[in-house]
Amino acid sequence: MAEFNKVKRIAILGSTGSIGTQALEVTDNIKNGFEIVALSAGSNIELFTKQILKYNPMFVSVKNKEDADKLQKQFPSLYVFYGEEGLKKLAELPMVDLFLIAVSGKIGLIPTITAIQNNKDIALANKETLVMAGDIVMKSAKEHNVKILPVDSEHSAIFQCINNEKNVKHLIITASGGPFRNSSYEEMKNANLDEALSHPRWKMGKKITVDSATLMNKGLEIIEAHHLFNFKYEDIKVVIHPQSYMHSAVEFDDGSIIAQLGIPSMHIPIQYALTYPQRCIGIETESFDFIKASKLEFYEPDFEKFPSLNLAIEMGKKGGTYTVCLNAANEEAVFAFLNKKIAFLDIYKITKYMCDNYVPVTNPSIQDILNEDEKVRTEVKNIIEKMRVLL
Ligand code: NDP
Ligand code: MG
């Protein structure tokens, strides 16, 4: 087990999720590395209770008041908060060195902004934060001299490849291609939930797994990369790399390309964000074996078969609240697909319809962004209910 030269006091928002649980596994394997000051969960109280017992945080937050009351009874000395206000309170804790934002969805935005305004470094997994409010978040991070350390594997790869160098020409983001890479249109039209959720390479939360099947996830990642690395959309390329060994790359002005490779495991980028700027031995993972891997393949994405990718890039280029609309419409459509209310290909159709008919807000504030998000979601829910009546 690795030893770390300074204990970092961390808060993990979304500790019961895919990223959150893996982040806790990372901390388990670095002796004297971390003090877990705060944790948050949504509704998985059974797992959360185990985490509280094991990691002994001082502060926690859950989604509902009812669960918060139960936890407070069970752990009288614990500070228990709830709801979005609870997440915000955690983000205000002065004794935290680093916040890992691993909640899913738009609820990541306010705690991230709050922690930045309190001069705290962020390990950012939550994509929606940058997709919805990348301009505001990155500006605020700059003003507060705060580091935004990417957790998403592609962005962690790019961050590691750039390594503070200048003169970067292109960012090259890899995509596995998802479960429907080789499927026909007919097969995608009839795709059921299990098929959409069986990602060939990564085990993730359900929403992001469906996004990986439509390639919307890659589109969101391009928007994330645009903000994180301050790169024009024209200079961000996507390549399909089914083996997921090369996590992304950058091309420099002199023609050199530096790529980051390794086995597909989220433990590695999570750990890098948590231990940055140090690297250390953490969870024992098998070494990447070039001979065993034998070949790395690269293909052009099929923009026709996966139109969500282009839609995301288009909305990114339009900027402003167009990406709020994209994110909200897509997320609501994905939820409807997960609840078996719509078919797989309807996710794109609904998102596209909303984006085509969207009237944006220029120079939005955070409140404008949240209002727009709510407005789009309400409309999408209405559309889906109407569709269900008609079909
Ligand atoms: P999960 O769905 O597995 O986990 C989400 C976490 O957020 C859980 O702890 C969940 O709590 C909590 N949560 C959800 N809704 C609420 C709410 N209303 N109030 C409070 N807490 C809530 O998601 P992932 O871990 O897969 O993803 C998290 C974020 O990281 C997403 O933005 C995703 O895009 C991004 N990401 C994920 C990757 C991955 O490999 N999974 C890779 C790159 C980025 P509970 O379960 O207790 O209800
Ligand atoms: Mg990713």
Side-chain angles (χ1 to χ4, degrees):
M1 188 183 285
E3 290 234 22
F4 204 55
N5 61 12
K6 183 180 170 277
V7 176
K8 260 190 206 176
R9 288 159 303 180
I10 61 170
I12 301 180
L13 273 50
S15 63
T16 47
S18 162
I19 295 285
T21 49
Q22 292 180 86
L24 285 169
E25 285 160 16
V26 164
T27 68
D28 287 344
N29 285 273
I30 301 175
K31 198 175 157 199
N32 299 329
F34 302 98
E35 183 188 330
I36 315 287
V37 178
L39 293 174
S40 92
S43 322
N44 188 348
I45 303 303
E46 198 185 327
L47 174 60
F48 198 47
T49 305
K50 287 185 191 151
Q51 292 181 346
I52 294 170
L53 287 166
K54 180 167 174 187
Y55 296 99
N56 195 23
M58 263 176 90
F59 304 88
V60 298
S61 183
V62 290
K63 189 171 169 183
N64 300 317
K65 183 175 186 313
E66 214 183 14
D67 289 327
D69 290 343
K70 277 189 206 150
L71 284 173
Q72 189 66 84
K73 252 193 201 150
Q74 198 177 345
F75 301 100
S77 64
L78 190 64
Y79 292 92
V80 185
F81 307 124
Y82 65 91
E84 294 189 28
E85 193 51 38
L87 290 175
K88 187 165 182 281
K89 281 190 180 141
L90 294 189
E92 285 167 352
L93 291 173
M95 65 288 275
V96 175
D97 297 321
L98 177 73
F99 283 89
L100 170 60
I101 311 290
V103 289
S104 54
K106 63 166 177 171
I107 52 159
L109 178 57
I110 295 293
T112 306
I113 295 264
T114 307
I116 292 172
Q117 285 167 349
N118 286 303
N119 306 312
K120 302 296 181 183
D121 288 340
I122 308 284
L124 187 62
N126 179 271
K127 281 174 211 256
E128 295 79 2
T129 294
L130 290 178
V131 172
M132 291 172 73
D135 289 332
I136 298 178
V137 169
M138 295 312 290
K139 188 166 171 256
S140 182
K142 206 170 170 191
E143 281 165 7
H144 290 269
N145 200 17
V146 155
K147 290 187 200 69
I148 308 284
L149 301 160
V151 169
D152 210 341
S153 60
E154 294 78 0
H155 306 79
S156 174
I158 291 169
F159 181 67
Q160 293 178 59
C161 294
I162 295 181
N163 197 19
N164 289 321
E165 276 201 61
K166 301 273 179 287
N167 305 322
V168 181
K169 196 155 115 192
H170 291 124
L171 307 182
I172 302 147
I173 298 190
T174 51
S176 72
F180 301 131
R181 185 171 66 89
N182 292 320
S183 305
S184 65
Y185 177 81
E186 248 348 89
E187 284 165 335
M188 281 169 67
K189 195 173 156 203
N190 299 317
N192 64 31
L193 201 52
D194 286 345
E195 287 161 341
L197 288 177
S198 46
H199 195 279
R201 289 277 151 185
W202 301 94
K203 173 108 195 56
M204 307 177 286
K206 284 184 182 171
K207 194 272 175 176
I208 181 173
T209 305
V210 175
D211 282 347
S212 301
T214 58
L215 289 205
M216 175 58 86
N217 182 49
K218 214 41 58 180
L220 299 179
E221 290 186 352
I222 291 173
I223 299 171
E224 258 187 295
H226 159 80
H227 290 294
L228 270 173
F229 305 109
N230 193 17
F231 247 76
K232 284 193 286 196
Y233 285 96
E234 289 74 12
D235 294 330
I236 306 174
K237 298 177 179 177
V238 184
V239 285
I240 303 293
H241 166 47
Q243 290 82 10
S244 298
Y245 291 137
M246 186 177 115
H247 302 310
S248 279
V250 302
E251 182 185 353
F252 292 89
D253 284 344
D254 64 359
S256 283
I257 291 182
I258 298 185
Q260 190 255 351
L261 286 84
I263 56 159
S265 157
M266 281 310 294
H267 284 126
I268 298 171
I270 293 170
Q271 177 173 308
Y272 190 64
L274 294 185
T275 64
Y276 181 85
Q278 268 187 266
R279 281 186 193 275
C280 62
I281 304 168
I283 289 182
E284 279 203 28
T285 44
E286 57 179 298
S287 267
F288 176 63
D289 185 334
F290 277 88
I291 310 298
K292 239 195 213 164
S294 108
K295 66 175 175 184
L296 306 184
E297 296 166 294
F298 300 98
Y299 303 101
E300 203 180 332
D302 186 337
F303 287 100
E304 250 175 61
K305 204 163 105 181
F306 299 104
S308 296
L309 182 53
N310 238 349
L311 180 64
I313 297 170
E314 261 178 50
M315 292 308 114
K317 282 181 182 168
K318 284 187 168 183
T321 50
Y322 273 106
T323 53
V324 178
C325 172
L326 173 88
N327 179 66
N330 174 65
E331 190 168 299
E332 285 305 324
V334 171
F335 288 158
F337 173 69
L338 288 171
N339 289 322
K340 302 188 176 167
K341 289 184 173 178
I342 60 169
F344 179 72
L345 293 181
D346 292 339
I347 300 172
Y348 167 74
K349 287 181 200 156
I350 291 168
T351 311
K352 166 95 171 123
Y353 172 83
M354 291 304 296
C355 290
D356 283 351
N357 292 288
Y358 182 64
V359 182
V361 174
T362 37
N363 282 330
S365 63
I366 288 290
Q367 195 51 53
D368 292 331
I369 287 172
L370 293 174
N371 293 346
E372 288 303 293
D373 175 89
E374 206 48 55
K375 208 169 79 187
V376 172
R377 283 172 198 273
T378 308
E379 203 173 327
V380 172
K381 283 182 200 150
N382 283 339
I383 290 173
I384 290 171
E385 283 319 310
K386 277 183 196 149
M387 274 170 66
R388 280 163 61 76
V389 174
L390 288 173
L391 296 176

